[in-house]
Amino acid sequence: MADPLTTDPVTDLTRALERLGLAEFLAGFDDDVPDRRRWAAGVGGLDGVLRTTAGFLLLGEPADLDALPAAVAAAVPELVACALAQEQGGRAQLADVALFRSQGLWLLAEPPSPFPVRHYFGADSVALARRGTYRPGDRVLDLCSGPGFQGLLAAQRGASATLVELLPEVSAAARLNARLNGLAGRTEVRTGDLYASLDAGAGPYDRVIANVPFLPTVSPPGREAPHEGGADGFSVGRRVLDGLPAHLAEGGAAFLTALLLESDGELLSAGELRARSAADGYGLTITLTDRMALDADSDLVQTVVSDHLDTDPQADPAALAAEVTGAFARRGARAARLAYLRADRGMADFRIIEPART
Ligand SMILES: C[S@@+](CC[C@H](N)C(=O)[O-])C[C@H]1O[C@@H](n2cnc3c(N)ncnc32)[C@H](O)[C@@H]1O
């Protein structure tokens, strides 16, 4: 029996793409690290309408609407309405985003970039998602949802998910991504600041998941951009932890990304995190992964500098690098670690796991 079409051209789009062979094409790539350059090489081997569609949706190539499959052309006005595409004179092009497919979920998001992006999806998104287990009926809260990867994955596994995103244009993209996956009925996307965007008494949630912004910043407290994580990179993460006692169900778990500063192999925030978890009634498991240098030429410091130059182009890059490294040094930090935090309500353990690198 043929799959019935829905009345939503966005939901019907992905069904058509799967029939066209686009999911088969994407299945040949490692989806842990979305990599558009590898797609570009693969698209070279396609032809016909699959080639045109892949160029349009994966590589950001312009296309004539009448050269695209009818289901793709029918969805273009919806993408334009969310500022994810432009269309003029029957010719359309995606705006910044590409169509990704990871763990069976379709997602319009921006390809990873060394520069800040608005519709974020990166290797840390996939690494965080791999840590969660969702069961049908779970109530899930995805804070800092971006275009929706975490919450939509939970909904696809049968959970009912509330997604919260600060930027209205990004929460509109998350709603569109929910429709793309036929999940609009099981998701609610709210625009606002973390828990403050929820109705009074909302929850409790079986799972809270937050891929928080963690780029350290030289912006004054309270004036950080949405992709910045405050002076030590953990200010949004702290606010997520603060809300767990009021929002995490008994037996529930929360999953966060974090950038944690380190001195001589010790986490500077270990004492603070241990005290918080004991006071707030959850066990904490911190898994440490990549170690990042903090000298003036390091990738992390140079990213902080170029991020600041975006808003303050007159600033002197060398002086900024000195300010950033000085701020880290005053805290006693010698390196930063990309970390994943798991908080279990009703447990008391505090663990730091550092898997040996293979
Ligand atoms: C690193 S992206 C995470 C995207 C997505 N959750 C993922 O895992 O791929 C962080 C997102 O958090 C949003 N954000 C930053 N501060 C926020 C806040 N206080 N409340 C809600 N969202 C916030 C940013 O706009 C950005 O879209």
Side-chain angles (χ1 to χ4, degrees), residues 107 109 117-122 124-126 128-129 142-151 164-167 170-171 190-195 197 209-214 225-228 236 239 257:
L107 195 79
V117 299
R118 279 179 310 146
H119 303 87
Y120 186 88
F121 179 55
D124 54 339
S125 312
V126 181
L128 181 66
D142 175 5
L143 297 171
C144 301
S145 76
F149 184 60
Q150 312 296 342
V164 177
E165 166 57 42
L166 193 61
L167 299 176
V170 181
S171 59
R190 293 186 158 241
T191 307
D193 177 23
L194 303 184
Y195 304 101
S197 69
I209 187 149
N211 187 1
V212 298
F214 52 65
H227 59 274
E228 295 176 343
V236 182
R239 292 170 56 214
T257 48

Side-chain angles (χ1 to χ4, degrees), residues 20-173:
L20 186 67
L22 199 68
E24 301 297 321
F25 171 75
L26 287 172
F29 298 88
D30 172 4
D31 70 3
D32 276 5
V33 188
D35 185 346
R36 223 155 62 144
R37 278 170 311 179
R38 292 186 55 234
W39 286 353
V43 166
L46 304 177
D47 52 26
V49 74
L50 181 56
R51 165 70 185 82
T52 310
T53 306
F56 177 66
L57 290 173
L58 308 184
L59 305 183
E61 294 173 355
D64 291 331
L65 290 180
D66 55 15
L68 291 168
V72 180
V76 165
E78 307 283 338
L79 305 188
V80 171
C82 292
L84 297 177
Q86 295 132 7
E87 193 256 305
Q88 201 174 22
R91 202 163 163 76
Q93 185 170 22
L94 295 190
D96 300 328
V97 295
L99 184 64
F100 293 92
R101 185 174 157 87
S102 180
Q103 303 186 36
L105 192 85
W106 293 98
L107 195 79
L108 280 160
E110 288 181 57
S113 158
F115 305 105
V117 299
R118 279 179 310 146
H119 303 87
Y120 186 88
F121 179 55
D124 54 339
S125 312
V126 181
L128 181 66
R130 244 195 269 119
R131 287 155 208 277
T133 306
Y134 301 108
R135 297 187 170 81
D138 276 353
R139 295 153 299 174
V140 173
L141 178 62
D142 175 5
L143 297 171
C144 301
S145 76
F149 184 60
Q150 312 296 342
L152 295 181
L153 207 56
Q156 198 177 53
R157 292 174 183 170
S160 74
T162 302
L163 287 69
V164 177
E165 166 57 42
L166 193 61
L167 299 176
E169 70 272 27
V170 181
S171 59

Side-chain angles (χ1 to χ4, degrees), residues 171-266:
S171 59
R175 279 185 206 101
L176 189 108
N177 279 325
R179 291 166 61 197
L180 208 53
N181 291 281
L183 294 169
R186 228 179 289 148
T187 51
E188 183 193 10
V189 182
R190 293 186 158 241
T191 307
D193 177 23
L194 303 184
Y195 304 101
S197 69
L198 302 175
D199 292 334
Y205 298 93
D206 304 298
R207 295 282 182 265
V208 174
I209 187 149
N211 187 1
V212 298
F214 52 65
L215 184 68
T217 175
V218 288
S219 306
R223 305 240 330 258
E224 296 92 354
H227 59 274
E228 295 176 343
D232 71 349
F234 197 54
S235 64
V236 182
R238 272 188 195 90
R239 292 170 56 214
V240 171
L241 292 181
D242 286 345
L244 292 184
H247 294 91
L248 196 56
E250 200 53 48
F255 301 85
L256 282 77
T257 48
L259 186 87
L260 300 177
L261 300 177
E262 187 185 73
S263 173
D264 298 326
E266 296 291 323

